[in-house]
Amino acid sequence: MLNIVIFGPPGSGKGTQSCRILEKYSLTHISTGDLMREEMAQDSALGEQIRKYINKGLLVPDEIVICKLNNTIEKHTDAKGFIFDGFPRTINQAILFDDMLDLRATPIDLVISVDVAEEELLKRLAGRSEDSGRSDDKEEIIWKRIDVYKSQSLPLVSYYSQQEKLVKINGMDHVDAVFGKISLAIDTYLEKQEVLTEVR
Ligand code: B4P
């Protein structure tokens, strides 16, 4: 089982890189953003509740996100591992997630943190807004999402550094170059695990 978290501000390339990672390492992709958008698309009461947060650039309440995530993990009993895209996003989510994975004896292996400068984030998301149809890709909401990232999600960098799971990747390059750096980090981790298994 290989569990990878991909972490970063909105527009840092989490979704873009996740698609490549899952293909190369045969992982199951869980994007909490996609789970929220799927619920909104169903026009359910829960979807309406979620929409109120997303359209303001705010995080969806932890209990909603965690419930959706847990149900999705449970559907994939045959998964060789997961790429968690956009989750966790708060310290509280990270603590609950650690407990959840402890119960399954499948801890997080690596947290890949993708760093991108603010001007570049704005450029990318403004570019995406032209054809994504995403209600949260508007300039004023993008700013709010970046603020929320800084205040609520950024503390996760030290949370996972303390657990020695964090790898920082410069995401300012071309998509292929960023993926090359991420692959190197994952391969290095897997090689270390192999050596440790041989020694044991
Ligand atoms: P997400 O769906 O995670 O949205 P995101 O942060 O914008 O990332 P995304 O993966 O879509 O974009 P990417 O950086 O790949 O979350 C949306 C909302 O859902 C949140 O604001 C929140 O309200 C809610 N939510 C989700 N998870 C939650 C949680 N755990 N708790 C609470 N609420 C939660 O790409 C952006 C653009 O950049 C694309 O157009 C892409 O083509 C481009 N791009 C990517 N890499 C590039 C590169 N290297 N160079 C140039 N362009 C690049």
Side-chain angles (χ1 to χ4, degrees):
M1 180 67 92
L2 176 65
N3 283 332
I4 297 176
V5 168
I6 186 151
F7 174 81
S12 54
K14 299 183 294 291
T16 309
Q17 295 299 331
S18 292
C19 294
R20 290 167 180 239
I21 298 170
L22 73 93
E23 237 175 69
K24 179 164 178 187
Y25 298 95
S26 308
L27 302 178
T28 299
H29 182 207
I30 301 186
S31 154
T32 43
D34 287 349
L35 294 179
M36 299 305 116
R37 284 184 285 276
E38 277 163 27
E39 190 64 49
M40 290 194 295
Q42 286 175 20
D43 284 331
S44 60
L46 181 61
E48 276 314 302
Q49 207 184 330
I50 291 171
R51 196 187 310 278
K52 285 184 192 147
Y53 293 94
I54 292 202
N55 284 358
K56 287 184 192 142
L58 300 173
L59 294 180
V60 177
D62 291 348
E63 41 305 352
I64 297 178
V65 178
I66 285 173
C67 175
K68 281 270 165 201
L69 176 91
N70 204 20
N71 293 344
T72 310
I73 294 177
E74 278 178 1
K75 280 186 204 150
H76 294 281
T77 46
D78 55 347
K80 290 183 186 163
F82 291 96
I83 171 94
F84 296 100
D85 166 5
F87 184 91
R89 257 173 155 104
T90 62
I91 294 281
N92 187 44
Q93 287 183 8
I95 293 170
L96 293 171
F97 193 36
D98 280 346
D99 292 345
M100 197 194 289
L101 294 178
D102 275 354
L103 285 176
R104 294 170 199 269
T106 57
I108 296 169
D109 292 283
L110 267 187
V111 177
I112 295 168
S113 168
V114 186
D115 291 339
V116 173
E118 251 174 56
E119 319 79 71
E120 175 68 14
L121 298 175
L122 283 170
K123 205 172 89 189
R124 288 183 190 178
L125 292 174
R128 184 172 71 182
S129 72
E130 283 163 23
D131 46 25
S132 72
R134 271 178 58 169
S135 52
D136 57 344
D137 279 348
K138 294 188 188 109
E139 198 179 337
E140 63 284 10
I141 299 171
I142 295 170
W143 275 116
K144 181 67 190 170
R145 286 161 64 200
I146 293 174
D147 278 351
V148 166
Y149 168 79
K150 285 189 203 157
S151 60
Q152 298 189 50
S153 305
L154 209 50
L156 289 171
V157 169
S158 61
Y159 181 86
Y160 285 118
S161 310
Q162 279 165 18
Q163 293 191 5
E164 297 181 2
K165 290 184 174 169
L166 193 89
V167 181
K168 283 193 176 207
I169 301 285
N170 178 354
M172 293 287 285
D173 258 329
H174 184 270
V175 173
D176 293 337
V178 177
F179 182 60
K181 290 183 256 185
I182 291 177
S183 292
L184 182 63
I186 298 174
D187 292 343
T188 307
Y189 172 80
L190 291 174
E191 276 160 27
K192 258 194 222 159
Q193 294 309 106
E194 231 169 77
V195 171
L196 285 175
T197 312
E198 278 168 22
V199 170
R200 279 181 202 131

